[in-house]
Amino acid sequence: MTTQFAKAYGFERRDVTLANWRAAPFSRFSFGHAEELVPSAIIAATAEVSEGEPVASDLLPQALPLGLAGQPDVRAYLDYAHTDAFVLMKAGTIVAEHYAPHAGINQRHIVFSISKSLTALVIATLEADGLMNPDAPVTSLLPEAAGSAYGDCTIRDVLDMRVSLAFDEAYLNTDGAYARYRRATLWNPADPSQPDETLLAFLLTLKKDAHPHGGAHFYASPDSDLLGILIERATGESYADVLSTRLWRPLGAKNHASVTVDAEGTARAAGGISVTARDLARVGEMLRNGGMVDGKRIIPEAWLTDMLTAGDHQAWVDGKSNFFPNGRYRSQWYQSGEPDGAFCAIGIHGQWLYVDPSTETVIVKLSSQPNPLDDELKHDNFAFFRALSAWTA
């Protein structure tokens, strides 16, 4: 007998395990239910409020023929790009939404490395209150980092991913440092032949590479997990509680968020946050409005200006990125370097928060893309967002 679950997903719930939750087709369920696979902490909204019905998106397929990747219209492109949830805002108003049959308007979805960008927004508020100084050494808050790769770098080096780190961001690795990293975060099953590690213990084993800190951009998720630990050291509170009080509640989020945690309760600040698409769009709209929500400042203006303008383009070029040829990276956010001033947060498996200030556009696209990276689809998505930004209803 076929269950309702199997009719919805094409497989049974029991088929989804910690060993396969990031692989297709199981990710179509697990990316919306990460808390069922990995221990998680709630990032509380002030009060959960049902969002009601999605805004109709029927106008888009007729209004914006695409031709991207051979897809004739927006709806076809969203399906082609493994989209679970999609929100398009213009001038502060949601003008179109789309949810896959297995997703929903009030359902959280893991956003992977968009978590890094949300973490940085919390640090912005701590800096404003004098609780964290980006120019200070990491050891000022985490003295036990001495002797590791982080023992002689600044928090700014970590924020901008310019740490000299002997580490390979190899998402499909099964037997090296990245596999240890996954196990330490409880994202992969334990290996009986290997000792258990916590996230912090793993981070403190990482070694410095041969070159100095502060050079080329070097994307490494452990940097962002370290930022989450620094947040806890600076405040004496849990990462989830700090994000709730300093970002999620002031933002006016309608649904609780969550973050995966390790065996000690340490948050996966680099990639473990799950949020609804609409709440993520609220983050983008807040930034588009200069860090303000309903006349109240959430993110300091000076920090936002720095994030948008101070990234080192040469460091980006020297990092040999194959994306954003004019781009920069600052405080865990990407700047496109294009004349429209677009900036974004990006997560593996097709997670995007895209903001184009020139057209007052905010776009959220949450996905269960089978390939974690898929550079070709990343370029298609960027072209898709630029087309939507240029479109006027």
Side-chain angles (χ1 to χ4, degrees):
M1 178 179 176
T2 303
T3 65
Q4 288 299 115
F5 188 100
K7 289 177 181 177
Y9 292 99
F11 50 85
E12 294 289 358
R13 171 62 184 86
R14 62 178 176 271
D15 296 330
V16 189
T17 70
L18 194 61
N20 65 21
W21 71 279
R22 296 185 309 278
F26 310 111
S27 56
R28 288 190 290 113
F29 168 77
S30 58
F31 286 3
H33 301 84
E35 302 99 327
E36 294 189 25
L37 283 303
V38 185
S40 300
I42 289 296
I43 300 165
T46 301
E48 284 209 295
V49 178
S50 176
E51 296 272 29
E53 295 299 318
V55 172
S57 57
D58 293 342
L59 75 164
L60 284 176
Q62 292 80 30
L64 190 64
L66 282 172
L68 274 173
Q71 305 306 310
D73 54 47
V74 169
R75 183 66 60 80
Y77 182 82
L78 291 173
D79 291 341
Y80 159 80
H82 311 284
T83 306
D84 297 325
F86 168 79
V87 175
L88 172 62
M89 296 182 74
K90 292 281 189 175
T93 299
I94 297 174
V95 297
E97 286 180 285
H98 171 73
Y99 296 92
H102 58 268
I105 192 170
N106 293 297
Q107 183 174 310
R108 290 192 287 267
H109 190 290
I110 194 166
V111 295
F112 291 107
S113 289
I114 292 176
S115 306
K116 297 174 170 67
S117 306
L118 299 177
T119 296
L121 296 181
V122 173
I123 290 176
T125 71
L126 298 181
E127 180 183 353
D129 288 346
L131 295 174
M132 191 180 293
N133 176 6
D135 296 322
V138 166
T139 51
S140 66
L141 290 172
L142 191 68
E144 58 264 52
S148 75
Y150 301 106
D152 61 345
C153 70
T154 66
I155 297 170
R156 171 52 64 194
D157 290 328
V158 182
L159 279 164
D160 292 351
M161 292 207 180
R162 298 177 70 180
V163 176
S164 175
L165 190 65
F167 183 78
D168 183 13
E169 187 93 356
Y171 296 110
L172 303 179
N173 175 266
T174 59
D175 59 1
Y178 206 83
R180 284 177 53 212
Y181 180 38
R182 293 289 205 202
R183 292 195 299 271
T185 60
L186 304 184
W187 279 33
N188 278 11
D191 182 344
S193 70
Q194 300 294 324
D196 293 335
E197 290 179 285
T198 63
L199 177 54
L200 177 57
F202 170 78
L203 295 177
L204 296 181
T205 68
L206 296 177
K207 299 302 181 184
K208 187 177 180 180
D209 212 343
H211 57 276
H213 300 301
H217 175 262
F218 180 73
Y219 189 92
S221 288
D223 291 354
S224 307
D225 284 317
L226 184 76
L227 292 175
I229 293 169
L230 295 179
I231 286 172
E232 295 193 337
R233 293 297 179 93
T235 63
E237 302 175 41
S238 75
Y239 173 90
D241 286 348
V242 177
L243 201 152
S244 171
T245 57
R246 288 182 170 268
L247 179 62
W248 219 237
R249 295 185 185 194
L251 180 71
K254 302 301 184 187
N255 281 276
H256 301 324
S258 68
V259 61
T260 68
V261 297
D262 76 350
E264 293 182 328
T266 301
R268 183 80 209 280
I273 293 179
S274 292
V275 300
T276 66
R278 278 200 179 184
D279 279 339
L280 189 56
R282 289 183 175 97
V283 174
E285 181 64 9
M286 177 267 292
L287 296 175
R288 188 188 73 79
N289 283 304
M292 305 283 288
V293 173
D294 295 332
K296 180 181 178 182
R297 178 155 298 283
I298 309 300
I299 302 301
E301 184 177 14
W303 184 94
L304 185 55
T305 298
D306 178 87
M307 183 272 281
L308 292 172
T309 62
D312 189 320
H313 174 62
Q314 191 58 50
W316 179 255
V317 171
D318 292 344
K320 297 180 171 56
S321 171
N322 62 357
F323 196 57
F324 290 152
N326 301 312
R328 303 182 304 277
Y329 188 87
R330 182 72 165 178
S331 295
Q332 309 279 291
W333 285 82
Y334 297 88
Q335 293 77 46
S336 69
E338 299 297 327
D340 55 22
F343 61 97
C344 57
I346 308 173
I348 57 170
H349 294 284
Q351 323 313 319
W352 288 81
L353 169 58
Y354 181 90
V355 182
D356 180 346
S358 72
T359 60
E360 302 181 304
T361 300
V362 173
I363 301 170
V364 168
K365 183 183 184 299
L366 306 180
S367 315
S368 48
Q369 174 185 305
N371 184 330
L373 295 175
D374 199 333
D375 288 339
E376 182 177 349
L377 186 51
K378 182 188 279 188
H379 286 277
D380 286 341
N381 282 332
F382 181 52
F384 174 59
F385 300 144
R386 298 193 79 187
L388 289 176
S389 296
W391 171 71
T392 55

